[in-house]
Amino acid sequence: GRHQVQFVWSPVQGATNYGIAVYLAGKWRVQTSSIPASSRSYVTPKNLTPGMTYRVAIAAKINGQWTSTESIKHAVTVTVR
């Protein structure tokens, strides 16, 4: 009933932190870029719109650089239930 999505990923060697981006209105928008390297999951805010579909990419920051290009190639599509 909370209409949230949880993402879980495998650790990336050398990552100092992780970020989440969502494709909205024709462009990628960063939702957060401060997930600690020790974390392996992220839960979205509550009350997402049921039936809405989102494209989501999870990137790692390694040696001060984001893996965003590669992450976008492996983005997932989720639908809120």
Side-chain angles (χ1 to χ4, degrees):
R2 295 178 185 210
H3 304 295
Q4 293 174 282
V5 177
Q6 179 179 22
F7 297 96
V8 179
W9 57 86
S10 298
V12 175
Q13 186 172 352
T16 55
N17 58 305
Y18 298 99
I20 306 281
V22 179
Y23 193 76
L24 297 169
K27 64 191 245 181
W28 286 98
R29 299 176 190 270
V30 175
Q31 297 301 300
T32 183
S33 60
S34 59
I35 302 169
S38 59
S39 294
R40 302 291 180 260
S41 66
Y42 174 78
V43 178
T44 64
K46 297 176 185 176
N47 300 321
L48 296 177
T49 304
M52 187 74 169
T53 298
Y54 301 91
R55 267 183 79 200
V56 180
I58 302 169
K61 191 173 191 179
I62 304 169
N63 295 325
Q65 300 292 318
W66 285 101
T67 62
S68 50
T69 301
E70 191 64 23
S71 298
I72 289 169
K73 289 179 187 176
H74 299 285
V76 297
T77 301
V78 296
T79 301
V80 179
R81 295 183 188 254

